[in-house]
Amino acid sequence: FLYFPETHGISFRIQIGVKELLDTDVLLNLLFHLPVNYPSALPDISVNSDQLTRAQCMDVKEKLLEQAKKHLSEPMVHDLILWVQQHLKDVIKQPAAVCNEKTTLSKGTEDGIWMLLLHLDHMRAKAKYVKTVEKWASDLRLTGRLMFMGKIILILLQGDRSSIKEYLILQKTSKVDVDSSGKKCKEKMMRVLCEIEVQSQHKRFQMFEVKEYSALEELQKEFETAGLATLFSEFVPSLLK
């Protein structure tokens, strides 16, 4: 427990484990700050978890604050903890897995599901670079593949158009790699091969995975399985020249 002086009310941290869909425990760190005039005023809540993305933590926090409003003027922390244990899996369901292709595409180009194919020239600090890409994909709820085949490095992403745009900004402006002298540097050799709206013949990736392929045929098969044979033949063979 963390107590603050009377004038600031009380803050305390609670860690709870919640059984998830696949029977794994999600550990949630909840920080409640109760103002001096609590419970007539709402607590300030922050939510953190290593197993959830930043967006999911924000969703949980918003839902908890909605619940808190229903309990205004009565002690509520215990009820909020019970509520999150019962409803966590409904709150964090990935929209990508449940959204139906037709409804997604009929929403209009701006907020349909988009796909991005990027080509990277090299990765000097590979392990760190890969970790960074995985974290961004997770935080922005993007699915797809980071693919290595010989010297070819491709990133294929699917998700909301706004998230894809945000990913591109991160990729261009963050120091993701190191230069020849070992200094951190930004990605200057990235090319956007294509950015298109996901069509009905394209399969949706359920997660983001890092994969290595020993031959071009293997890489081609990955694209074909996802209904992206045209994308492959249009952009990938030319990278070998």
Side-chain angles (χ1 to χ4, degrees):
F1 286 106
L2 312 166
Y3 285 101
F4 285 82
E6 285 304 294
T7 48
H8 296 295
I10 304 171
S11 287
F12 54 91
R13 193 186 301 276
I14 292 177
Q15 190 180 57
I16 55 168
V18 185
K19 274 270 180 281
E20 231 316 270
L21 300 166
L22 305 166
D23 290 334
T24 52
D25 276 359
V26 170
L27 278 179
L28 278 187
N29 283 307
L30 305 173
L31 180 66
F32 289 95
H33 176 71
L34 310 182
V36 181
N37 49 350
Y38 169 86
S40 328
L42 289 177
D44 190 29
I45 305 170
S46 67
V47 179
N48 279 300
S49 172
D50 289 344
Q51 290 116 309
L52 302 182
T53 64
R54 209 177 333 161
Q56 287 172 321
C57 286
M58 289 299 290
D59 289 347
V60 174
K61 175 184 166 167
E62 277 166 31
K63 289 283 185 286
L64 277 171
L65 286 170
E66 274 172 34
Q67 289 304 311
K69 284 176 189 156
K70 297 178 185 171
H71 293 282
L72 204 54
S73 80
E74 55 187 82
M76 62 184 85
V77 172
H78 182 63
D79 291 320
L80 294 179
I81 290 166
L82 288 177
W83 185 88
V84 82
Q85 286 178 313
Q86 288 162 0
H87 297 91
L88 182 71
K89 57 171 166 277
D90 304 322
V91 180
I92 62 170
K93 264 191 192 140
Q94 287 283 7
V98 289
C99 75
N100 161 331
E101 207 83 58
K102 286 200 180 70
T103 56
T104 315
L105 295 174
S106 63
K107 273 160 70 184
T109 46
E110 199 44 43
D111 43 357
I113 297 294
W114 281 67
M115 182 158 50
L116 179 70
L117 182 62
L118 299 174
H119 174 243
L120 302 181
D121 186 72
H122 61 273
M123 282 184 182
R124 281 199 178 90
K126 186 174 171 182
K128 180 180 169 291
Y129 204 137
V130 169
K131 255 205 172 104
T132 306
V133 170
E134 284 180 301
K135 185 177 182 338
W136 288 342
S138 162
D139 284 355
L140 294 167
R141 294 181 178 180
L142 297 170
T143 60
R145 300 280 184 270
L146 167 52
M147 304 178 272
F148 296 93
M149 201 290 295
K151 287 192 171 164
I152 294 178
I153 306 168
L154 297 169
I155 300 177
L156 181 62
L157 296 168
Q158 292 179 344
D160 294 334
R161 194 172 192 191
S162 55
S163 301
I164 286 212
K165 283 180 175 166
E166 205 174 322
Y167 179 92
L168 271 174
I169 294 167
L170 284 169
Q171 181 84 56
K172 285 174 184 165
T173 57
S174 309
K175 292 188 173 178
V176 281
D177 208 352
V178 294
D179 62 20
S180 51
S181 62
K183 270 216 211 81
K184 288 182 178 178
C185 66
K186 292 178 185 172
E187 176 59 67
K188 295 189 183 75
M189 308 280 282
M190 176 187 81
R191 281 194 304 147
V192 175
L193 298 179
C194 102
E195 191 177 350
I196 53 168
E197 189 167 6
V198 170
Q199 306 301 320
S200 52
Q201 74 270 23
H202 301 148
K203 295 220 172 39
R204 293 290 312 281
F205 291 109
Q206 292 304 307
M207 56 179 75
F208 184 82
E209 287 179 85
V210 180
K211 288 193 162 186
E212 306 240 9
Y213 306 85
S214 52
L216 193 63
E217 294 70 43
E218 275 183 42
L219 184 60
Q220 185 168 1
K221 203 169 169 203
E222 179 82 272
F223 275 81
E224 285 170 359
T225 311
L228 302 171
T230 355
L231 197 67
F232 177 88
S233 52
E234 206 171 322
F235 298 107
V236 184
S238 60
L239 300 173
L240 291 165
K241 288 171 186 161

